[in-house]
Amino acid sequence: MAGLNVYLLGALSLGAVSSLWGSSLAIGTATAKGAFVVNKTKVSGSAQLFDGSSVETGAAASRLQLSNGSLIDLNANSSVTLSGTEAVLE
C-alpha cells in the first residue's frame, strides 16, 4: 500500500509541474473596433496577449493594455511584437 501512495503522490506532483510548464500568464489585452490579427489569427473585439504575441491591425486601429500599466495605441495597418519588456514595431 505504501508503494501505491508514493506512486500516486509522484503522479500528482508530475501533473502539477507539467501544468505549470504548459501555462503562461497573459501580459495584456488588445482591443479594437473591428477585426485585427493576433499571432496570425483574425480576431474581433479583444484578445489576450502573451509574451511573444504579434498584433497586426488592418483598417481599424487597436489599443494594447499591458499588465504593467503600459498602453500602446496602434494606428491602422501597423504591427507590433511583444517580447519580454520590449515592443518591436514592424
Side-chain angles (χ1 to χ4, degrees):
M1 184 62 104
L4 180 60
N5 289 342
V6 171
Y7 177 75
L8 183 58
L9 179 61
L12 291 174
S13 298
L14 182 60
V17 170
S18 64
S19 69
L20 289 175
W21 283 332
S23 64
S24 54
L25 298 175
I27 62 168
T29 304
T31 57
K33 292 182 180 178
F36 59 103
V37 176
V38 176
N39 299 329
K40 300 184 180 186
T41 302
K42 188 175 181 178
V43 295
S44 293
S46 67
Q48 285 193 325
L49 302 173
F50 300 90
D51 189 29
S53 289
S54 63
V55 179
E56 301 171 43
T57 61
S62 181
R63 171 169 276 191
L64 284 57
Q65 180 151 4
L66 305 181
S67 58
N68 66 5
S70 298
L71 289 176
I72 300 172
D73 288 324
L74 290 176
N75 288 330
N77 302 310
S78 301
S79 62
V80 66
T81 299
L82 304 172
S83 179
T85 58
E86 298 180 348
V88 180
L89 294 171
E90 301 166 355

